[in-house]
Amino acid sequence: MNDNRQWILFGVLGAASVGLSYVFTCAIPFAALATVAALNMNRRDALLLVGAAWGVNQAVGFGLLGYPLATSTFLWGAAIGAAALLATLTVFQARSVISRFGGLGSAALGLIAAFLAYEAVLYMMALAMQSGFGAFTGEIMREMFAVNVLALAGLVALQKIAAYAGIQGSGRGTPHAAG
């Protein structure tokens, strides 16, 4: 993909991240974003996009939604950022295996891997802080996974639209060469 198309796609996914941050607040579907980024961008750009999405999420949270200015809030924010980046790297590690399952299969398996990595980091944070365990009930985990599935469907749809508009490669969800 040429650099101009990559940056346009980056902008489209970045704008989607802003919207997701406002709509989902703390429940932003980072696993879905990490999956799409890792399957369609080189490692540097995917990490940059996910990191920027995390930054936007924090800015929206503190600037527009009134997150409390407390140490625990900053620590949870840092954990969310670390979890999102680890989720992205997890999908990169799995790309050679999951790419055998085609575009939709790769996206589904990537999402599962990203979601597990993301939630594992947050659970470790809950253990370290001895708080936040209520976010790991079966009901909330199912809801969070459903949010990520819906977000993945929307992001894949955006990717397909970008492909048809000539902004992004094939739109087949096939991984680009790792970078």
Side-chain angles (χ1 to χ4, degrees), residues 72-84:
S72 63
T73 309
F74 293 121
L75 289 173
W76 276 107
I80 289 168

Side-chain angles (χ1 to χ4, degrees), residues 15-169:
S17 299
V18 172
L20 292 171
S21 291
Y22 191 74
V23 171
F24 292 114
T25 332
C26 288
I28 186 169
F30 279 115
L33 183 62
T35 300
V36 171
L39 290 178
N40 294 285
M41 297 177 161
N42 64 48
R43 185 182 324 266
R44 180 186 62 93
D45 290 347
L47 290 170
L48 183 60
L49 173 65
V50 171
W54 169 81
V56 167
N57 174 258
Q58 296 300 294
V60 168
F62 286 105
L64 298 176
L65 301 174
Y67 287 3
L69 300 176
T71 301
S72 63
T73 309
F74 293 121
L75 289 173
W76 276 107
I80 289 168
L85 294 173
L86 181 64
T88 307
L89 291 172
T90 298
V91 177
F92 266 105
Q93 282 299 114
R95 277 183 5 168
S96 63
V97 174
I98 65 177
S99 65
R100 299 176 191 154
F101 295 91
L104 189 57
S106 294
L109 292 171
L111 179 62
I112 292 167
F115 186 78
L116 290 173
Y118 182 81
E119 293 299 332
V121 171
L122 295 184
Y123 191 76
M124 287 188 279
M125 181 64 169
L127 287 173
M129 292 186 66
Q130 288 298 303
S131 69
F133 295 110
F136 296 95
T137 66
E139 181 180 341
I140 291 174
M141 290 283 83
R142 283 188 299 276
E143 183 179 313
M144 290 303 304
F145 189 70
V147 164
N148 275 277
V149 168
L150 290 173
L152 180 65
L155 290 170
V156 168
L158 272 176
Q159 175 193 3
K160 298 254 183 230
I161 291 167
Y164 291 125
I167 296 171
Q168 195 247 348

